[in-house]
Amino acid sequence: MKKLPIGDNIRLVRNRLGYSQEYVAERLGISKQRYRQLENEDQKSLTIGRILEIAIILQTDIETLFSIHRIKFKNEDVDMQPTESQLDELLYLIKDQKVLIDDIHKNMKS
């Protein structure tokens, strides 16, 4: 079974925000080593609940973490680094998702 690139997507968003693995691990209440395993796609223990927790910390949503597209060569083991425009688009999406999350939180408090 082919693995989803969710660990890579989480890493991409985390790095774009400037968050360290230690920071995210601490927010999740797990060790840095355990968090590193999650980013390296230890999918057996990566539940939707855990992905949601990570998405909240990274100020995004689950759909974003699942849907960031990665460019593949014919050899599927080789990934091309995202371009600056792709990273800019990702940052825009993250900011947009943060606005939506903030609105949801405000509506929940009302």
Side-chain angles (χ1 to χ4, degrees):
M1 182 168 111
K2 186 174 180 179
K3 290 183 179 180
L4 294 171
I6 190 153
D8 292 338
N9 293 345
I10 291 169
R11 185 179 307 106
L12 178 66
V13 175
R14 179 182 57 74
N15 285 334
R16 189 66 178 163
L17 290 171
Y19 293 168
S20 67
Q21 286 182 332
E22 293 93 344
Y23 172 77
V24 178
E26 182 178 307
R27 294 281 310 272
L28 290 171
I30 61 176
S31 70
K32 178 185 171 189
Q33 180 181 15
R34 179 69 192 116
Y35 178 77
R36 185 180 303 124
Q37 291 172 337
L38 294 177
E39 276 195 4
N40 289 328
E41 301 190 41
D42 176 11
Q43 292 187 347
K44 291 179 183 176
S45 63
L46 193 56
T47 64
I48 294 295
R50 181 62 83 186
I51 296 169
L52 178 58
E53 289 177 309
I54 293 169
I56 291 168
I57 292 166
L58 298 180
Q59 304 167 22
T60 191
D61 61 20
I62 290 176
E63 182 181 2
T64 300
L65 295 179
F66 276 107
S67 65
I68 298 171
H69 297 289
R70 298 174 66 212
I71 300 169
K72 296 277 191 177
F73 292 99
K74 287 182 182 180
N75 177 352
E76 290 189 358
D77 293 332
V78 180
D79 293 327
M80 192 166 99
Q81 293 293 323
T83 65
E84 188 64 33
S85 65
Q86 288 171 321
L87 292 175
D88 289 340
E89 183 179 346
L90 175 61
L91 182 59
Y92 173 79
L93 290 171
I94 291 170
K95 287 179 181 178
D96 192 43
Q97 293 298 323
K98 178 162 180 7
V99 170
L100 291 172
I101 291 169
D102 289 344
D103 287 344
I104 290 169
H105 286 228
K106 286 178 189 174
N107 288 334
M108 290 174 66
K109 291 179 181 179
S110 298

